[in-house]
Amino acid sequence: QPNVSMGEVLDVSANKTASDGSVEWLIPTVTAAPGQTVSIPVVAKNSSLAVAGAQFNIDAASPMKYLSVTGGDAYTSTIGDNGKGTKFLFDDGMGIEKVAAEGATVFTLAYTVPTDCAEGTYDIKWANTNVSDTDGFDITKNVKFTDGAIKVVKDSGEGKIDWVLDKVSAYPGE
């Protein structure tokens, strides 16, 4: 670390570079029924790493159908995809890096579970990850990528109550 002092006016010895921190990007496991659309917010955990951009693949197990991706509030960036939901890129047009707040959303994925989907757990995994700081340096090694899944459970109807009443005559207060 440089220690610059100009007549006791400026001391930047405490400055850190972006590569000094770390962050976890977590894809959660969500539960859905066949035919449902699910939103999966990818969140930042234990964040102390300044990130300016990233490119990566997301591999969702078949038969999940990709719908869209939307940006989150974790970084000052916009996100795009290849239209197939397999390759993604986000960056800040000015190259500004930011340390995400704890639990902030990096981006949100949306998938549709086919109506004929069998019950089970369908993985959603990170692949080919590359994360950079404001100077374009590779800081991927400082990011923990945690895979998630869509757990498909058919609606059993348990816990639902249907009231079927005959014609009831009553006066208020009875």
Side-chain angles (χ1 to χ4, degrees), residues 10 12 22 32 35 41 48 52 68 80 83-84 86 93 99 101 103-104 107 109-110 112-113 122 130 153 160 173:
L10 175 67
V12 295
S22 63
S48 63
S68 64
K84 300 175 186 175
T86 55
V99 175
F107 57 91
L109 297 163
T112 296
V113 180
Y122 297 86
N130 186 330
V153 179
K160 294 182 180 177

Side-chain angles (χ1 to χ4, degrees), residues 10 14 20 23 32 35 38 56 69 81 87 93 96-97 143 150 167:
L10 175 67
D20 284 345
V23 65
V38 293
F56 47 87
V69 64
D81 69 348
K87 296 181 181 181
I96 298 171
E97 61 190 11
V143 181
I150 298 173
K167 186 176 180 182

Side-chain angles (χ1 to χ4, degrees), residues 32-46:
Q36 280 189 321
T37 296
V38 293
S39 292
I40 304 170
V42 178
V43 296
K45 296 285 188 185
N46 304 313

Side-chain angles (χ1 to χ4, degrees), residues 43-66:
V43 296
K45 296 285 188 185
N46 304 313
S47 179
S48 63
L49 180 67
V51 173
Q55 58 188 37
F56 47 87
N57 294 7
I58 299 286
D59 298 328
S62 181
M64 296 302 124
K65 304 283 187 209
Y66 171 76

Side-chain angles (χ1 to χ4, degrees), residues 138-172:
D138 184 352
I139 55 173
T140 308
K141 66 178 175 39
N142 296 11
V143 181
K144 178 181 177 184
F145 298 93
T146 303
D147 298 333
I150 298 173
K151 183 177 178 183
V152 177
V153 179
K154 293 187 178 176
D155 186 4
S156 66
E158 289 184 29
K160 294 182 180 177
I161 299 174
D162 289 330
W163 292 93
V164 180
L165 300 173
D166 291 331
K167 186 176 180 182
V168 177
S169 297
Y171 295 100

